Amino acid sequence: MHISQITLRDWKAYTTANFDFPAPASGKNIILIGAPNGYGKTSLFEAIVLGMFGRDGLPLIARSPFSGADKERLATSYKNFLEKALHRGATAAGRTSCSVKLIFTDENDEPLEIQRIWHFSDSGVYRAQDEEIHIYEGTTRKAVGPGALQGNDRADWFREYIAENLLPFTLAHFFMFDGEQVSVLAERSMSDQVRHGIEGMLGMPVLKRLAKDLRAYAEVRRKDSPNVSDKTIEKIELERHQLNFENDKKTDRLAEIEPYRATLKEEQEHLIRELASFGSGSQALLQEQFEQIKNHERAIEGGNAQLEELLMKDLALALSGLGLRKSIKDRLLSEGVRERWESGKNQGDSNLERFLASVDTGMQEINPSLSDGQREGVLDSARGAWEKLWYPPPDNCADEYLHPYLNELERSKVIDRLDELDELGAPAIVELLSTIAANEDSLKRLQDEVTRTEAVAPHVDKKRERLTQVNGEIQQYDQEIGALKREMASLETQINQKNTELTKLSGQLDQAAPSARRAARANKVALMVDEIVAKAVPSQIDAIAAAMTKAHRAMAHKKDLVERIAIDENCDVQLLNTDDMDLRGYDLSAGEKQIFTQALISAVSSVSGRGFPMVVDTPLGRLDIEHRKGVLNHLVQREHQVILLSTNTEVVGEYLREIEPHVQKKYLVHFERVGDIGQSTVRPGYFEETGGQA
């Protein structure tokens, strides 16, 4: 599958524009489209994304690839974006629509055409209800569509068709992305990147939205059949709402501060390089001290996080004492004995009357016949003997239930958990506290040494002060990010507990009313979706790790440094060298972090099995020089089409010569002003070899 044609009409600075691309051939898969900044390169990228996905594609061009968006906010942003996308001269000329047409051609030369048309009022206000999408199959341009469906149902039909025949929008950011955004994404934790990558590949965002919608539906249905028990459910739902609200706030805060931290990290690396250039001696020592300070700060933060996790989960129960835990276990065991005894007795009692009736029938056949008094005496004796089978109760049988809310399986789980806590002893806590204290002492000593270190060159003091300030700000952001992630993990655990409670309570009310039954089923399905999401990610980890290792080794400049990328079931990442040492213990450069993210993008697109083209805006982004050729050489090795939208400072000169044999076609975007309106046009060709100018 490749893009064979793109046609734009009244899209941003393009009045009309047409691009024709050949099918990829052996060793030739690159399409180059050049444009200096501001000429319309990114506008073309936006047209491809929104032409395919409409509103669903907006997060790919308006924010970080892995971020989510509220539906109402997304609709507002989409409207604002489109009203700026309509060519400025269109309405003056009486044209009130703009459009994008994309033609894809498969291996059998069968075309698939998607055309999306956006309509506006005479004053340029976007009319959402009039947005059109048309799809045509084959050389006869057979129209396909949802028939009489309207509104959201119609949009859902087209979304599913495009997902099945081309690409789901949850996977789009691994095939269509901005190289500039990769540098921001690279500053996120590797674990988060991998988890979000696999979830996107498997379409998990859609399932998560389904679970959320099902639970919202259950709340509405529950209100249709109010009763006393509903108050409990409403209380839990309100608590879950509050937990979700808190979690959303922390998620928004995390998305807000991560770009600032990335900018500070770039400045930090720049300052360190500048200070290193002043020479050895005191300045070299100063740089080494800063590196040691960062290592100790990370160790302290990690130790505090580990201690906080123990305080939140296991430590409190462990400190309750062996005697109390043993008493609880003994009590639960005795209640288990009572439950089994009662179950046997109740089962026996249910058959007693039938047994006595059978005995009475047998006595009627005795000759000579027994008197009524004799028969009653025999029956009373049989009844008394039956009762003695169950009394006294067995040894270790509880007199009553103190924990009636637990069934036999749940009691067993509680006992197993209490047994595990017996293994958590004071030495482990003391060792952790000692490690934190030792790192704090070393940190204070190093900070005192840094204070005494004197500058050895002009301007060093000023740069050193700024570096100290930057280090402090980064440390504050790191601490806040760490705290946010821990709090979000705790909130997610609580939300899952509320979901489980709601499912259990809804099940108890399943027979109460039709609305209650529907709510119970919706909650049950939502919980099943949660379980699917939890199990789906680990199933793809080995394949992603292998593909990432291959891509990373192809792109990284120091190919002998990272031998293997290992990922565990929790998506925690290790960058292992030949000695199986995790290189994350050392500070990776911005370029090395970007190579990791590029490797993840490559791995997900590969493991997904989709033969979809890759479209990259600003492909070399903020990559350092030593990694640029590695990324380009990796892209030319792909079997499928790769469209690179480059500025005149990227794929030019030696970088262009590096991939020239693999280039199929080149286009160059030109730009001129007609009055106060910009006009972009496209022609075959590319930047001049000298200097990369248009």
Side-chain angles (χ1 to χ4, degrees):
M1 176 74 68
H2 72 282
I3 299 177
S4 55
Q5 186 179 106
I6 303 172
T7 302
L8 312 180
R9 180 178 60 78
D10 282 329
W11 179 265
K12 292 206 167 180
Y14 297 94
T15 303
T16 59
N18 190 73
F19 300 82
D20 291 297
F21 306 136
S26 178
K28 279 185 171 288
N29 67 327
I30 301 295
I31 302 294
L32 267 180
I33 301 176
N37 282 325
Y39 274 38
K41 169 182 60 63
T42 298
S43 297
L44 174 59
F45 176 80
E46 295 165 343
I48 297 171
V49 172
L50 296 190
M52 273 195 67
F53 301 111
R55 189 176 71 179
D56 292 334
L58 190 62
L60 274 70
I61 61 178
R63 59 187 69 211
S64 173
F66 290 146
S67 63
D70 174 79
K71 284 185 177 180
E72 293 184 5
R73 186 170 57 188
L74 188 61
T76 302
S77 301
Y78 187 57
K79 174 181 182 296
N80 295 338
F81 183 91
L82 288 174
E83 289 174 355
K84 294 177 182 177
L86 180 64
H87 184 65
R88 288 183 60 192
T91 52
R95 302 189 301 273
T96 57
S97 68
C98 62
S99 67
V100 174
K101 181 174 73 174
L102 304 169
I103 298 180
F104 297 86
T105 303
D106 64 16
E107 294 76 6
N108 300 318
D109 289 332
E110 287 293 320
L112 176 63
E113 177 183 324
I114 298 178
Q115 184 180 29
R116 197 177 292 266
I117 306 171
W118 297 273
H119 293 274
F120 304 83
S121 68
D122 292 339
S123 60
V125 176
Y126 167 60
R127 301 203 310 256
Q129 70 278 8
D130 294 333
E131 181 175 327
E132 299 178 57
I133 178 171
H134 305 282
I135 298 181
Y136 305 97
E137 294 179 339
T139 54
T140 61
R141 297 185 80 246
K142 174 188 174 183
V144 295
L149 295 179
Q150 297 295 327
N152 291 334
D153 292 337
R154 182 178 180 84
D156 289 343
W157 189 95
F158 281 114
R159 181 185 295 113
E160 291 173 8
Y161 180 93
I162 291 171
E164 181 177 349
N165 292 275
L166 292 170
L167 189 73
F169 73 92
T170 57
L171 257 182
H173 48 254
F174 297 104
F175 293 86
M176 303 173 173
F177 56 89
D178 181 349
E180 290 283 349
Q181 289 180 331
V182 171
S183 63
V184 176
L185 182 60
E187 290 300 331
R188 297 185 65 168
S189 80
M190 292 180 177
S191 175
D192 286 347
Q193 290 185 52
V194 170
R195 179 173 296 281
H196 287 298
I198 296 177
E199 287 183 353
M201 180 182 74
L202 298 174
M204 293 297 104
V206 176
L207 287 180
K208 288 183 174 181
R209 167 56 62 182
L210 172 62
K212 185 175 182 180
D213 290 344
L214 283 168
R215 291 190 171 102
Y217 168 83
E219 290 183 28
V220 174
R221 295 283 73 78
R222 182 68 59 206
K223 293 173 182 176
D224 292 342
S225 58
N227 55 47
V228 176
S229 298
D230 279 340
K231 293 181 179 179
T232 303
I233 292 178
E234 289 176 4
K235 178 177 178 294
I236 296 175
E237 287 175 341
L238 182 62
E239 292 170 351
R240 187 183 63 187
H241 273 307
Q242 183 61 35
L243 291 169
N244 278 317
F245 177 73
E246 292 296 328
N247 196 42
D248 289 343
K249 283 202 306 183
K250 296 184 187 306
T251 301
D252 291 342
R253 176 58 181 165
L254 190 62
E256 176 186 348
I257 64 178
E258 281 184 330
Y260 292 116
R261 181 189 178 279
T263 302
L264 287 171
K265 289 290 289 185
E266 286 186 9
E267 183 181 358
Q268 180 193 54
E269 292 183 6
H270 179 70
L271 287 168
I272 289 174
R273 286 195 298 271
E274 280 193 323
L275 289 171
S277 68
F278 286 118
S280 58
S282 298
Q283 187 54 47
L285 176 61
L286 179 64
Q287 184 177 347
E288 180 182 350
Q289 289 169 338
F290 276 124
E291 292 297 325
Q292 293 175 355
I293 284 174
K294 287 194 291 182
N295 289 337
H296 284 301
E297 287 172 342
R298 281 195 295 268
I300 292 169
E301 183 180 354
N304 285 330
Q306 188 178 352
L307 183 61
E308 183 177 338
E309 184 175 2
L310 285 172
L311 289 170
M312 290 171 58
K313 295 181 179 178
D314 295 338
L315 191 56
L317 282 174
L319 292 176
S320 64
L322 185 62
L324 179 57
R325 293 199 301 276
K326 184 178 183 304
S327 173
I328 293 174
K329 286 189 286 186
D330 291 344
R331 181 66 195 187
L332 293 177
L333 288 170
S334 68
E335 291 186 9
V337 171
R338 182 174 187 86
E339 183 179 10
R340 290 188 292 274
W341 172 69
E342 287 180 346
S343 176
K345 180 177 178 298
N346 291 336
Q347 185 176 3
D349 289 347
S350 65
N351 295 317
L352 175 59
E353 293 305 322
R354 189 172 59 182
F355 168 73
L356 293 176
S358 178
V359 171
D360 190 27
T361 300
M363 286 190 295
Q364 292 176 8
E365 297 176 359
I366 295 175
N367 191 12
S369 300
L370 299 178
S371 67
D372 291 343
Q374 289 173 326
R375 289 210 324 274
E376 284 299 324
V378 171
L379 292 176
D380 288 342
S381 296
R383 187 176 288 106
W386 187 279
E387 286 293 324
K388 289 179 181 178
L389 289 174
W390 300 101
Y391 290 96
D395 294 338
N396 194 28
C397 177
D399 296 333
E400 60 180 350
Y401 290 106
L402 294 181
H403 309 285
Y405 47 85
L406 296 176
N407 59 33
E408 185 172 358
L409 177 61
E410 290 167 339
R411 286 194 204 95
S412 176
K413 289 182 178 180
V414 172
I415 291 170
D416 289 344
R417 185 65 181 134
L418 292 173
D419 286 338
E420 291 174 6
L421 291 172
D422 292 342
E423 303 297 325
L424 182 62
I429 307 299
V430 172
E431 182 180 355
L432 177 59
L433 292 172
S434 298
T435 302
I436 295 172
N439 278 296
E440 288 176 340
D441 291 341
S442 298
L443 176 62
K444 186 177 185 306
R445 176 179 56 78
L446 280 167
Q447 288 172 335
D448 291 340
E449 290 177 4
V450 167
T451 303
R452 293 192 296 269
T453 303
E454 296 181 356
V456 295
H459 312 299
V460 171
D461 283 341
K462 184 176 180 181
K463 293 183 183 299
R464 184 181 62 189
E465 290 172 4
R466 177 55 187 162
L467 181 58
T468 302
Q469 182 182 356
V470 168
N471 286 334
E473 292 177 12
I474 290 175
Q475 182 184 1
Q476 290 178 356
Y477 278 130
D478 285 344
Q479 290 174 348
E480 184 176 1
I481 289 172
L484 284 170
K485 289 182 177 178
R486 290 191 295 273
E487 291 166 359
M488 288 164 62
S490 175
L491 286 168
E492 287 175 2
T493 299
Q494 295 178 63
I495 291 169
N496 289 336
Q497 290 173 347
K498 297 298 179 187
N499 290 336
T500 302
E501 288 182 58
L502 284 171
T503 302
K504 184 176 180 180
L505 290 172
S506 297
Q508 294 172 358
L509 292 174
D510 191 40
Q511 302 301 320
S515 292
R517 287 196 296 272
R518 287 193 288 270
R521 289 163 187 160
N523 273 321
K524 186 176 181 180
V525 173
L527 194 60
M528 290 171 60
V529 171
D530 291 343
E531 294 172 353
I532 291 171
V533 171
K535 294 177 180 178
V537 172
S539 70
Q540 299 296 316
I541 282 175
D542 289 344
I544 289 293
M548 284 187 69
T549 297
K550 181 179 178 181
H552 192 281
R553 289 180 62 80
M555 289 186 286
H557 176 64
K558 302 172 183 177
K559 293 184 175 60
D560 58 339
L561 195 58
V562 176
E563 177 69 19
R564 179 169 59 91
I565 295 176
I567 307 171
D568 67 16
E569 63 180 9
N570 296 318
C571 291
D572 289 331
V573 177
Q574 288 183 306
L575 305 180
L576 302 174
N577 64 8
T578 53
D579 297 323
D580 274 349
M581 180 184 297
D582 187 2
L583 300 175
R584 291 186 312 146
Y586 305 92
D587 266 351
L588 300 178
S589 69
E592 289 167 334
K593 292 176 182 176
Q594 289 182 52
I595 290 299
F596 175 89
T597 302
Q598 291 274 14
L600 173 62
I601 290 172
S602 175
V604 172
S605 63
S606 172
V607 173
S608 71
R610 296 275 180 167
F612 194 81
M614 183 169 281
V615 183
V616 189
D617 184 19
T618 320
L620 302 183
R622 301 180 188 176
L623 278 172
D624 49 48
I625 294 174
E626 62 184 11
H627 288 106
R628 289 188 168 194
K629 288 185 179 179
V631 170
L632 288 174
N633 283 322
H634 179 67
L635 290 175
V636 303
Q637 293 170 14
R638 288 178 57 84
E639 296 180 6
H640 308 292
Q641 183 184 57
V642 177
I643 300 174
L644 301 180
L645 311 176
S646 172
T647 67
N648 54 350
T649 61
E650 291 185 277
V651 189
V652 293
E654 61 177 309
Y655 305 112
L656 176 59
R657 290 190 290 274
E658 188 79 14
I659 65 169
E660 185 75 55
H662 306 279
V663 176
Q664 288 186 296
K665 195 161 186 177
K666 302 175 186 173
Y667 280 103
L668 187 62
V669 178
H670 295 261
F671 183 83
E672 62 179 346
R673 288 202 169 274
V674 180
D676 63 344
I677 297 176
Q679 185 75 37
S680 293
T681 55
V682 60
R683 306 169 195 170
Y686 200 61
F687 302 116
E688 295 293 334
E689 286 292 323
T690 56
Q693 298 301 316

